[in-house]
Amino acid sequence: MQTKLTINGKSHNLNADTRTTLLDALRNHLGMTGTKKGCDHGQCGACTVIVNGRRINSCLTLACMHDGNEVTTIEGLGTVDDLSPLQRAFVAHDGFQCGYCTPGQICSATAMLEEIKAGWPSHVSADLNAEIALSDAEIAERMSGNLCRCAAYPNIVEAIRTVAQGGRT
Amino acid sequence: MRSFHYERAADTPDAVAACAAGATIIAGGTNLLDLMKREVVQPERLIDITRLDLRTIESAEGGLSIGALVSNSDLAAHRDVRRDWPVLAQALLSGASGQLRNKATTGGNLLQRTRCYYFQDSAMPCNKREPGSGCHALGGATRLHAILGGSDACIATHPSDMAVAMTMLDASLDIIGKDGASRRLRLRDFYRLPGDTPHIETVLQPGDLIAKVVLPPPAGGRQTYRKVRDRASYAFALVSVAARIELAEGRIADASLAFGGIAPRPWHDPAVDRLLVGEVPSAALFARVADVLLDGAAPQEGNAFKVPLLRRTLTATLNELCREIPQ
């Protein structure tokens, strides 16, 4: 099936079986292996990418359903010479050990900070209608779809908090 | 995953026709694709409805009309929902993860399949997946399973939080049938109990498409969704309570309750609501309400804990909603 995707600003024509998930399309068909496959069932968040501005699990969606969509992967957020603020913060705060979940964590956190800017409440927000106070509990709740088997969570939260508060790292 | 034919619906009649011809609807796909990977379901034909114009949330009939394709995130973040139906925003935000809520749709959430371990494992017998093959949950691992409404064929629970809040709110569905006509159905009449046909979960007919969920006008009083689960986030309910209580002059003027994690469908017991109305809130009253709710409960060894857990969760929720509001 022919599918047109814009990935990190560049147009790609994919011709793949309808079964191909967006994750497999990125990794196996388009050679973009920054996005990781963990559980392949939407439980771990390693495959998180941003589609049309929203973070999603790329393992739980078919590539052909995204014809014409704009996809941002970890490769589109920063480069080795020009890291994104969250990438810099994850390095500065030691927000990983093995690093396998990190692309998903950073894609997820990038979109999550936009959700906060848009005023979306979370399960731990005390008042659904008030401005969000960005506590560690808020960060943890909003990042619960990204698992880290190395349990670098305290440092991940620290990295995200630093960027959310506009701090330089 | 087994191979399938994929097509994209251009409009609603297109989708309904494909559906009537046996195609399986895909929208958010977060549940369907998971089950297809596990070969729990093996559709031969998928009809993608994500390009249909069913993403609107708008005021209607004094209440709110929610398109079937509205994502769980958009619904939870919607200003009117947060202000006038906070129980629904709370229920949505207590479910899944940020990524899943961005994809999961309103219609799909209603139709998500059970998280019963035996249903999810295609190597196990399951009357829901393969009618007549048996049920290994009975006498097996039942932490997530029903204590009310189950049968000798199936004790699986419905996993949705959103549907519990909508059941409490007495939402309705606008369904388009294969003849193209739209009909309205109360959500409270939508799900079937398993009986000896656990594979038939709703009253939907072949070709039916859920187009909208309609919330009735905002009701008075206070409302909340309380969910108890095995971890603080991103887990299905062991027990949940959606409740609305309206107090007047020290008495309960109106009450509506629904429960999740305990039954094959979002559980609403009119006798529970009736028992509360007109009464002065008290520990004795709440205990009587729990007795009525749990009358006929049939727990398994692995989920007997849900009986006291539901009693306590119900009491805590009613205490919270009946507490004097500090001025």
Side-chain angles (χ1 to χ4, degrees), chain A residues 41-42 54 59 64 144 146, chain B residues 8 34 37 74 99 233-234:
Chain A
H41 286 279
R54 298 275 175 97
C59 74
C64 60
S144 72
N146 290 85
Chain B
R8 197 175 292 141
D34 184 22
K37 286 183 182 191
D74 283 324
Q99 291 95 317
S233 184
Y234 198 12

Side-chain angles (χ1 to χ4, degrees), chain B residues 13-25 45 47 177-179 205-209:
Chain B
D14 204 19
V16 169
C19 203
T24 297
I25 290 174
R45 189 173 164 199
I47 180 81
K178 68 177 169 191
D179 57 359
Q205 298 294 313
D208 280 349
L209 177 83

Side-chain angles (χ1 to χ4, degrees), chain B residues 60-61 63-67 75 81 85 87-88 92 106-107 110 160-175 183-191 203 210 212-219 223 242 244 256-258 266 268 273:
Chain B
E61 304 157 45
L64 198 70
S65 161
I66 304 158
L75 187 54
V81 173
W85 297 274
V87 64
L88 178 56
L92 285 159
T106 304
L110 292 173
S160 172
D161 294 295
M162 182 195 83
V164 176
M166 286 180 172
T167 296
M168 188 281 274
L169 292 167
D170 201 9
S172 293
L173 309 180
D174 280 356
I175 297 166
R183 65 182 193 279
R184 184 163 290 187
L185 184 73
R186 285 170 83 191
L187 184 58
R188 290 177 183 177
D189 299 327
F190 179 67
Y191 296 105
V203 298
I210 300 174
K212 286 176 189 170
V213 174
V214 180
L215 300 182
Q223 49 186 263
R244 183 181 66 78
S256 179
L257 276 74
H268 173 253
D273 295 353

Side-chain angles (χ1 to χ4, degrees), chain A residues 28-151:
Chain A
N28 301 343
H29 293 262
L30 302 169
M32 304 174 75
T33 54
T35 308
K36 302 301 185 221
K37 182 182 281 196
C39 68
D40 209 24
H41 286 279
Q43 297 175 359
C44 76
C47 69
T48 304
V49 299
I50 302 166
V51 175
N52 297 343
R54 298 275 175 97
R55 55 177 169 158
I56 65 164
N57 299 112
S58 63
C59 74
L60 279 190
T61 193
L62 299 171
C64 60
M65 292 180 75
H66 291 281
D67 188 51
N69 287 176
E70 294 199 10
V71 182
T72 303
T73 69
I74 190 71
E75 290 95 337
L77 291 179
T79 62
V80 174
D81 302 320
D82 182 21
L83 297 177
S84 80
L86 273 163
Q87 286 174 318
R88 262 201 314 277
F90 268 65
V91 173
H93 294 276
D94 231 357
F96 50 85
Q97 287 182 45
C98 83
Y100 195 79
C101 73
T102 313
Q105 298 276 3
I106 289 176
C107 283
S108 186
T110 301
M112 182 275 279
L113 292 178
E114 294 303 313
E115 294 169 5
I116 289 177
K117 278 186 204 154
W120 291 12
S122 86
H123 172 64
V124 299
S125 305
D127 180 346
L128 289 174
N129 300 298
E131 200 175 322
I132 297 143
L134 190 68
S135 61
D136 286 1
E138 280 281 0
I139 295 173
E141 164 60 26
R142 290 166 189 270
M143 292 296 291
S144 72
N146 290 85
L147 304 185
C148 171
R149 291 301 300 270
C150 306

Side-chain angles (χ1 to χ4, degrees), chain B residues 13 128-129 296:
Chain B
K128 191 184 276 297
R129 180 164 29 76

